Amino acid sequence: MKTKIIILLSIVAFVLASPFIFNKRVTISDPHTLDADGNFILYEWVEPRTGKGPDWDYNLKPVKVSDRVWCFFGALEMPTKENAGDMSNSCYIKGNDSWIAWDTGPSAIFAKQAYEAMSKIAKLPVKHVIVSHEHDDHWLGNSYYKEVHGAEIIGPESVNVNYHKGDQTRMIKTLYQNAIRGTELVPVDRSFEDTTKFKISGINFEYVRVGYAHSEEDWFLYLPDDKTVLVGDVVMNGRVTSNRDGIVIGQINALKAIKARDWNHLVPGHGFITDKTAADESIRYFTLIKDEVLEGIEEEVIPDDITKVVTLEEFRDKDLYYTLSSGNVYRAYEELEMYEGDEDEDDEDDEDEDEEEEE
Ligand SMILES: [Zn+2]
């Protein structure tokens, strides 16, 4: 009797489980929920969160980097609820009659608090914002400067191509409502085709296009009179970079263009080192990754094994090594498999320089 019940229960269990065992068909009702590799995108929409409590306090303290530049330095972490996206570097440049903001942080509330902190140094409006690249930890503060100051936003065209009002970026999905509320995706007002020199509020700038490097389109900002360079994410220090959207060869070229300028201070996109050694870690990381991955390809290491062979030991004690480094190596393998060698190694820095004047 007992055996019969067990057999019967087994049959019932088998029938119930059969859709999972014979899972030959997956019905995709909405193809938009697949990413480029055909994986399901989970949590693609989060209910917008609004609340009435006090704004998140970012507790921002500006650090003076050079005569005219102050920066807010973010944590060496991934964006989380706990850091409210305060994990990248955001700067202010003091012009004669206005502030110029460089990379505006992860939210409108961050930007508002940054402005309040800077107003204690000089009560000037922000009339221009300049952006390094499209990653949302670097420019979601733009909406504050647009709405409150009517600032002109200068930045890469890729921001307008890849982000639209109402889209939900990583920050918008991740942060608590009291940190992200009021943040809108606002378009860039002005983009340049290539490296351009201009003057804003008495300050000379060279806005240098490095193209596809850390992201689809990276730019850095050189202040020749201050001998200072603000470089966005083509340089990081103290932590391992994320090359998920980038390419090693583009990174190396960007680092060469930075090296070609005369500077005493460099502000990385992430990291606290701003002296003449600030770019060294990134140069070392990308040189090593290129050489070792190419060597692995030469020795016919298969893609699945490349992260076992190229471990970049000397970066093991850097923040985010375990989270990001093997992904960077794997991605470098995909890229460098097609690599033909350094044919144009010598003309790395031949960008056109358009002169342009502005008040
Ligand atoms: Zn980035």
Side-chain angles (χ1 to χ4, degrees), residues 133 135 137-138 170 214-215 218 233 236 242 244 270:
H133 70 296
H135 290 153
D137 46 331
H138 295 264
R170 176 177 68 146
H214 161 81
S215 73
D218 292 276
D233 283 359
M236 299 187 192
S242 165
R244 71 182 189 282
H270 302 261

Side-chain angles (χ1 to χ4, degrees), residues 235-237 263 266-268 273-282:
V235 174
M236 299 187 192
N237 53 51
W263 49 266
L266 178 151
V267 180
I273 303 168
T274 61
D275 64 15
K276 284 191 160 188
T277 68
D280 293 357
E281 230 177 270
S282 290

Side-chain angles (χ1 to χ4, degrees), residues 57 59-62 70 72 92 94 99 113-124:
D57 183 1
N59 192 24
L60 297 176
K61 307 265 192 295
W70 284 258
F72 301 96
Y92 266 64
K94 191 166 177 283
W99 288 113
Q113 292 176 9
Y115 181 71
E116 283 161 4
M118 295 311 298
S119 293
K120 290 177 191 157
I121 293 164
K123 184 84 187 150
L124 299 170

